[in-house]
Amino acid sequence: MEFDPGTGLQSFLRGSLYNEDLDLGTPFRSANATRGFINGGGIIQTADAGQFNLNAYAHLSTFDEDFSLANSNRTAETPSQLQHVPSTDVGGSLTWTKSLFAHNRFVAGGDFRLIDGRSNDSYFNSAGTSISDRKVSSGRQNFFGLFLENIYRPAGNLEVDLSVRGDFFQNLDGTIRDNPTGAASTVTTFPDRMR
């Protein structure tokens, strides 16, 4: 959907949904993927302050897969693992554009992206009759950026761009929680990283 009343304000909203079911060739092996995406934003054009562009999105997904072990002649099959992987990805950007002085266009802005993911894994015993171990692996990633740019066009066939950008990146809360049946649970943690 798009909305443009002709007053210097334009806005939009888009969305999509994807689903896929896979038969992986044996009675126990299958997979499913579902992804939903929504994106919205707009443009504000002012007479004195320039133009502002805003864009934001959210991406939600899940992935499921069932694993198994088959004998060499493929006459018997044993379940080995169940996997469920949900993830969330949100982000956006804001830019400001304005013509300054003769033949100069100035652009400034920033963007961000936040990702949260998890893998829930259940492992069967060797006979494939019950769950013997459960693991949950999870973590987050964050991305932030800022930039400045000046576009100088002294002639129609000549353009000079000067720009600078800074990015900040984080890996956070990385853990693996192992819960074996009949044994003590363990938690492995990974150090946070920032660059």
Side-chain angles (χ1 to χ4, degrees):
M1 297 186 297
E2 295 185 357
F3 179 64
D4 183 359
T7 60
L9 171 66
Q10 300 175 359
S11 59
F12 70 91
L13 181 66
R14 300 185 181 98
S16 61
L17 178 66
Y18 170 81
N19 178 262
E20 180 179 42
D21 290 295
L22 296 174
D23 178 351
L24 300 179
T26 69
F28 289 131
R29 293 180 186 176
S30 63
N32 169 270
T34 302
R35 295 181 175 90
F37 183 78
I38 188 166
N39 175 219
I43 300 172
I44 300 174
Q45 180 69 57
T46 66
D48 300 322
Q51 178 176 293
F52 297 87
N53 290 54
L54 175 65
N55 186 21
Y57 66 86
H59 184 190
L60 308 177
S61 67
T62 58
F63 176 76
D64 295 276
E65 186 166 0
D66 299 339
F67 298 85
S68 67
L69 297 173
N71 63 4
S72 58
N73 55 6
R74 295 176 65 84
T75 59
E77 180 185 21
T78 304
S80 61
Q81 180 185 350
L82 305 176
Q83 185 178 50
H84 174 63
V85 185
S87 64
T88 304
D89 180 3
V90 298
S93 64
L94 175 65
T95 60
W96 170 62
T97 305
K98 182 174 174 59
S99 296
L100 298 172
F101 313 113
H103 312 295
N104 280 274
R105 186 159 57 98
F106 187 72
V107 185
D111 51 67
F112 74 97
R113 185 177 183 184
L114 313 176
I115 304 170
D116 184 274
R118 173 185 317 269
S119 181
N120 302 295
D121 298 276
S122 299
Y123 299 91
F124 286 86
N125 60 12
S126 59
T129 57
S130 63
I131 300 296
S132 62
D133 193 7
R134 299 180 190 272
K135 288 185 179 180
V136 178
S137 308
S138 60
R140 296 185 295 123
Q141 287 187 311
N142 298 330
F143 302 86
F144 303 94
L146 294 172
F147 73 92
L148 298 171
E149 181 179 19
N150 183 63
I151 303 170
Y152 176 58
R153 185 172 292 168
N157 58 355
L158 177 63
E159 180 178 286
V160 179
D161 296 347
L162 299 175
S163 63
V164 61
R165 179 180 171 92
D167 288 281
F168 179 64
F169 162 82
Q170 294 175 301
N171 272 349
L172 302 172
D173 302 330
T175 60
I176 299 176
R177 300 181 183 275
D178 190 2
N179 300 289
T181 302
S185 299
T186 61
V187 178
T188 303
T189 59
F190 300 92
D192 294 345
R193 293 181 58 204
M194 291 175 279
R195 297 288 186 272

